[in-house]
Amino acid sequence: MTCAACAARIERILSKNNNVLDSSVSFPLKLATIDIAENSNFQLEEVIESVNKIGYKAREAQEENEDKKIKFNLYVPILSILLAASLKYFFQSGYDLIAYTLGFFIILFLGRNFHISAIKKLRHLDFNMDTLISLGSLSSLIISIIPVELITSTSLSINENKMFLDTGAFIISFLLIGKAVEDRVIEESVKTSESIKSRMPKTLIVLRNNKKIDIPIKEIQKEDLFDVKAGEIIPVDGIVVEGKSTVDESLLTGEALPIRKDVGEEVVGGSVNLEGLLKIEVVESYQQSTYNLIEDLIRNAQATKPKIQKSLDRITQLFVPLVLFISFSTFIYNFIFQGAEVLDALRNTIAVLVIACPCALGLATPIVLFKTATVSKTRGFLFKNFDILQRFGDINNMVFDKTGTLSSGIFKITKIENSYQDITEENLLQLVSSLENYSQHPIAKSIVYEAELRDLELLPASNVKETSGVGIEGFVAEKMIVITKNQNSNLPSLRIMIDEKKFILNLEEESAIDLNFLEKLGKEKNITILSGDKEDNVRRFAEKHGITEYYSNKDPEEKLQFIKDKQNNGGVIFIGDGINDSPAIKQADVGVTTSSSSQIAQVSGDILIYKGGLETLNEVFDLSKESKSRINQNLFLAFIYNTLMIPLAVIGLITPNLAALAMALSSISVVLNSSRKL
């Protein structure tokens, strides 16, 4: 593929296959992503053949090393421009044979891909950028070898028509330079996003059924055991069963600080072991590991085609035939109506052919999309669709779930009411946590967590009975313990009876955000808290964070209906935990989920925040605005170029040589602007 029009053409061919539900072709990545129907008779060979028939070379995607090819592509345009610059000298020195040999080599050999592509398109009455380049360069070559007497009767310099060879050579040379810069910039972006993959081991020695076997990494199974030495990448998600170390997750999440890992703790695929030897048990297959899931989300985002790109594809499809018409009209206008010499009219016609190529227009969006998807990972979030990311900054209504999203779901003990001297606070907490260890309630887990922080030993319990919505009771250290909600308090509070003695534990749910986060956000957006929690808890939380609109006691169905009603007044962004709030997240115009990296496979939503908490929303807003602004800049560069240059070429103020240089510079300016740091 040489331009965005090629990608659009391939998409149309793929969509004609009855087994293909959807397809997206990325011009920068030179990659097609296909969704196929279940239980279909899909044949990959058939799809590849259909693409090859229209003049492209398609094959199944696979990993390969492109370094040598890239180096060669940089040498070719340098050689081409040096040879093209020498043609004038050879003509003026009388070495016509050498000049023609070099000119033919540049136009026909170095520029062969343009001509081959144009011919294949012509067979199907299809046109693209290559059509214009091929016509412009070959026309220059043909004019240079036709005797002057056959072109015009006017006395001309002996070398005037020969110098058209110089024009054709410069057209090819400048375009080769532009393509080389494009490919280089894109390749550097790819190398950045593939930095982990290149270091991943291809095989791994695992312990399976008490036998050590060397297997491809893609064949790793759950419960396999493997060793990771210091400095090696952990290839899949697992649990440390032996050893202690620190790991670096910066390649995966951008987190700069090393993280301590002990026996029993989870490690994430794609992180680097920094210290000693770790023995790890596999908990997920290679395909379902965190690294692969993140990379899949990024690749899918990069492969999506935004609405603006689809519109530009339609424009470029119409643009080339329009340019051919304008070029023909330019020749008629200059030669017949203006009485210009044939060579001058031809020169203007070729200039229009070359300068009107919509190359820059086709590059305005794809590279920004690719770079945005890569950058989002380092900022702690992933998006599934570029259009949604672009729309994110334009929506004013933001609805937050509370528990597990704005609040952490972890309760801390603020005060223990104990009027007995024979039971210390530590003893009380040990007895209570020993019983609560048998419950799955968030408050119970928080109390157990507090006991673990204080290094309190959990004692066995007997005759444990838990009543949902009421409490839990049982015997610990031969003491009868009953834990229920404190009905005399509107705050989270527990009433504890140990034998005949009563104690009160006052609790407070920890916030997952800074105190002024919602208040600051509320100055730009309309903030609503939508929670299934009790009204007192939601009200206290909302007042504490300066939010006036809040709703409580909402089940998933009521949340879904609330979002539907809210959408009657405009777009809605819903931020939830991604599991319990799935219906509301899917209904919202943009669904944002928060999740730890180990839960990525289990959540839904359009944007996934997996690092940095809800403060990462600021990064989402920033990247949304930055990428949108970058695309608008690119479109301005592309449109202003065509708008200004085509009229100048029509009236003869731009030579074909300058037209080729200007077109190359236009594409390069768009590529370089796209590659700037977001």
Side-chain angles (χ1 to χ4, degrees):
M1 293 189 294
T2 55
C3 65
C6 300
R9 168 69 171 158
I10 294 173
E11 268 188 14
R12 290 203 306 275
I13 295 300
L14 293 176
S15 64
K16 292 180 181 179
N17 190 305
N18 294 329
N19 295 315
V20 174
L21 297 177
D22 189 25
S23 64
S24 179
V25 179
S26 171
F27 166 53
L29 296 179
K30 307 295 188 289
L31 183 72
T33 303
I34 301 173
D35 291 335
I36 59 175
E38 292 184 9
N39 303 319
S40 65
N41 296 319
F42 177 77
Q43 296 291 330
L44 181 60
E45 294 77 13
E46 179 184 336
V47 171
I48 291 176
E49 184 180 355
S50 66
V51 175
N52 290 340
K53 280 183 178 179
I54 60 171
Y56 300 96
K57 294 180 180 179
R59 56 180 170 79
E60 186 176 1
Q62 56 188 0
E63 298 178 13
E64 59 183 351
N65 190 340
E66 296 282 351
D67 286 346
K68 293 182 179 179
K69 180 180 177 182
I70 295 165
K71 290 178 181 177
F72 176 70
N73 282 347
L74 288 175
Y75 292 142
V76 169
I78 294 174
L79 173 64
S80 181
I81 197 72
L82 291 175
L83 294 178
S86 69
L87 294 182
K88 184 175 181 180
Y89 166 78
F90 286 120
F91 275 128
Q92 291 177 344
S93 302
Y95 299 111
D96 290 10
L97 181 60
I98 297 176
Y100 276 114
T101 302
L102 294 178
F104 276 52
F105 173 75
I106 295 170
I107 296 172
L108 298 181
F109 182 74
L110 298 184
R112 65 191 181 281
N113 289 334
F114 296 114
H115 311 311
I116 293 171
S117 174
I119 292 171
K120 288 182 177 179
K121 302 294 181 300
L122 193 59
R123 292 176 184 172
H124 301 276
L125 296 179
D126 191 22
F127 307 98
N128 68 348
M129 182 197 82
D130 295 337
T131 307
L132 304 180
I133 302 307
S134 182
L135 277 174
S137 59
L138 291 178
S139 297
S140 299
L141 184 148
I142 293 170
I143 293 170
S144 72
I145 61 177
I146 296 177
V148 176
E149 297 79 13
L150 297 180
I151 300 176
T152 179
S153 58
T154 306
S155 176
L156 295 173
S157 168
I158 190 68
N159 287 325
E160 188 159 347
N161 72 312
K162 293 180 181 179
M163 293 312 298
F164 269 81
L165 186 67
D166 167 284
T167 298
F170 273 113
I171 289 173
I172 296 297
S173 300
F174 287 136
L175 288 171
L176 288 176
I177 289 175
K179 293 298 293 180
V181 173
E182 292 170 24
D183 292 343
R184 190 65 178 179
V185 171
I186 293 169
E187 181 64 22
E188 287 301 319
S189 299
V190 172
K191 281 183 177 179
T192 300
S193 68
E194 302 272 329
S195 59
I196 306 175
K197 180 182 288 187
S198 63
R199 295 173 56 186
M200 279 283 191
K202 300 297 183 290
T203 62
L204 195 66
I205 298 175
V206 301
L207 182 65
R208 183 184 298 171
N209 300 325
N210 296 320
K211 292 182 180 179
K212 285 190 174 182
I213 54 175
D214 189 356
I215 59 172
I217 193 171
K218 294 182 179 180
E219 296 180 11
I220 287 178
Q221 299 176 5
K222 289 184 180 181
E223 299 183 0
D224 282 346
L225 297 173
F226 63 92
D227 294 334
V228 180
K229 298 177 183 177
E232 293 182 342
I233 285 186
I234 300 170
V236 293
D237 298 352
I239 295 177
V240 178
V241 296
E242 187 178 313
K244 295 182 179 181
S245 181
T246 54
V247 299
D248 179 4
E249 296 184 358
S250 60
L251 286 176
L252 190 68
T253 66
E255 178 58 57
L257 297 176
I259 303 171
R260 186 72 185 173
K261 296 294 180 181
D262 294 322
V263 173
E265 293 188 318
E266 292 184 354
V267 289
V268 180
S271 55
V272 181
N273 180 23
L274 297 178
E275 296 181 14
L277 180 70
L278 289 178
K279 185 179 287 292
I280 297 172
E281 179 182 336
V282 179
V283 296
E284 288 291 352
S285 66
Y286 176 78
Q287 289 75 16
Q288 292 298 313
S289 67
T290 300
Y291 162 73
N292 265 325
L293 292 171
I294 290 176
E295 289 300 306
D296 284 344
L297 285 172
I298 293 173
R299 279 193 294 270
N300 289 338
Q302 290 169 340
T304 60
K305 182 159 288 190
K307 290 180 180 178
I308 189 171
Q309 183 60 47
K310 293 177 180 178
S311 300
L312 290 175
D313 286 347
R314 288 193 290 269
I315 292 173
T316 54
Q317 284 291 305
L318 299 173
F319 204 75
V320 175
L322 178 62
V323 169
L324 292 173
F325 175 76
I326 293 175
S327 299
F328 178 74
S329 301
T330 298
F331 179 80
I332 298 298
Y333 170 77
N334 282 281
F335 182 63
I336 296 179
F337 295 102
Q338 295 296 316
E341 294 294 333
V342 175
L343 289 181
D344 291 335
L346 288 171
R347 189 179 288 111
N348 293 352
T349 301
I350 294 172
V352 172
L353 274 175
V354 174
I355 207 165
C357 285
C359 310
L361 200 59
L363 292 168
T365 299
I367 301 176
V368 176
L369 165 59
F370 180 86
K371 192 173 182 66
T372 302
T374 303
V375 169
S376 71
K377 183 182 73 171
T378 65
R379 297 193 183 183
F381 71 94
L382 303 170
F383 62 90
K384 297 180 180 179
N385 185 289
F386 193 67
D387 279 331
I388 287 174
L389 179 66
Q390 295 293 285
R391 196 160 64 240
F392 185 84
D394 299 329
I395 297 176
N396 289 321
N397 296 316
M398 298 188 71
V399 180
F400 287 85
D401 173 49
K402 185 182 81 71
T403 306
T405 303
L406 293 173
S407 59
S408 66
I410 298 175
F411 293 79
K412 63 179 181 180
I413 299 172
T414 57
K415 183 180 179 182
I416 297 178
E417 297 182 14
N418 178 9
S419 57
Y420 303 95
Q421 300 295 327
D422 57 333
I423 298 182
T424 66
E425 183 176 303
E426 299 292 316
N427 291 337
L428 175 64
L429 185 57
Q430 182 181 40
L431 294 173
V432 172
S433 61
S434 296
L435 180 59
E436 292 281 32
N437 192 38
Y438 291 83
S439 172
Q440 296 298 314
H441 193 280
I443 290 180
K445 291 183 177 181
S446 299
I447 292 174
V448 173
Y449 177 64
E450 178 66 25
E452 291 175 344
L453 291 178
R454 300 190 188 190
D455 292 325
L456 300 178
E457 180 184 0
L458 297 181
L459 305 174
S462 59
N463 298 329
V464 177
K465 180 182 178 182
E466 182 174 15
T467 304
S468 180
V470 178
I472 188 172
E473 61 182 57
F475 286 88
V476 179
E478 299 182 353
K479 297 180 183 294
M480 179 62 181
I481 301 176
V482 179
I483 303 173
T484 58
K485 183 181 184 301
N486 182 12
Q487 301 294 339
N488 297 322
S489 174
N490 290 326
L491 299 173
S493 180
L494 297 178
R495 178 179 182 271
I496 300 167
M497 296 296 298
I498 300 180
D499 292 333
E500 300 298 325
K501 299 175 180 179
K502 185 177 80 169
F503 305 86
I504 301 296
L505 255 68
N506 294 319
L507 305 165
E508 182 181 32
E509 188 176 10
E510 292 184 351
S511 176
I513 56 174
D514 292 337
L515 188 60
N516 59 353
F517 171 74
L518 288 180
E519 188 174 357
K520 285 184 178 179
L521 193 61
K523 294 178 180 179
E524 298 182 7
K525 305 289 182 181
N526 301 321
I527 306 298
T528 303
I529 296 177
L530 185 65
S531 176
D533 201 356
K534 294 182 179 180
E535 183 177 357
D536 287 339
N537 295 336
V538 178
R539 176 178 50 78
R540 280 195 305 272
F541 187 93
E543 291 175 351
K544 181 179 178 180
H545 291 272
I547 302 303
T548 57
E549 186 178 359
Y550 57 88
Y551 302 88
S552 58
N553 297 307
K554 300 294 183 182
D555 60 29
E557 289 76 19
E558 290 173 320
K559 289 183 179 180
L560 174 61
Q561 187 58 49
F562 179 89
I563 296 298
K564 289 180 179 179
D565 295 340
K566 194 81 169 176
Q567 286 175 318
N568 292 329
N569 299 318
V572 175
I573 299 171
F574 183 82
I575 301 96
D577 61 19
I579 300 173
N580 298 327
D581 299 316
S582 291
I585 288 172
K586 291 179 180 178
Q587 175 62 37
D589 296 271
V590 179
V592 181
T593 60
T594 57
S595 170
S596 66
S597 57
S598 60
Q599 295 174 312
I600 288 174
Q602 304 163 16
V603 299
S604 59
D606 304 304
I607 297 175
L608 168 63
I609 295 174
Y610 68 96
K611 187 193 69 158
L614 288 180
E615 280 76 8
T616 303
L617 281 172
N618 294 323
E619 297 284 356
V620 181
F621 277 118
D622 290 344
L623 191 58
S624 173
K625 294 176 182 178
E626 289 165 3
S627 60
K628 190 173 185 177
S629 173
R630 192 66 55 84
I631 287 175
N632 289 336
Q633 292 169 14
N634 287 346
L635 291 176
F636 173 79
L637 289 173
F639 277 116
I640 197 69
Y641 156 80
N642 279 319
T643 302
L644 294 178
M645 295 299 180
I646 292 178
L648 295 178
V650 169
I651 62 177
L653 294 182
I654 296 179
T655 66
N657 294 23
L658 290 177
L661 177 60
M663 196 194 81
L665 290 177
S666 174
S667 296
I668 290 173
S669 66
V670 169
V671 170
L672 292 179
N673 187 57
S674 299
S675 64
R676 288 191 299 113
K677 184 178 180 180
L678 284 169

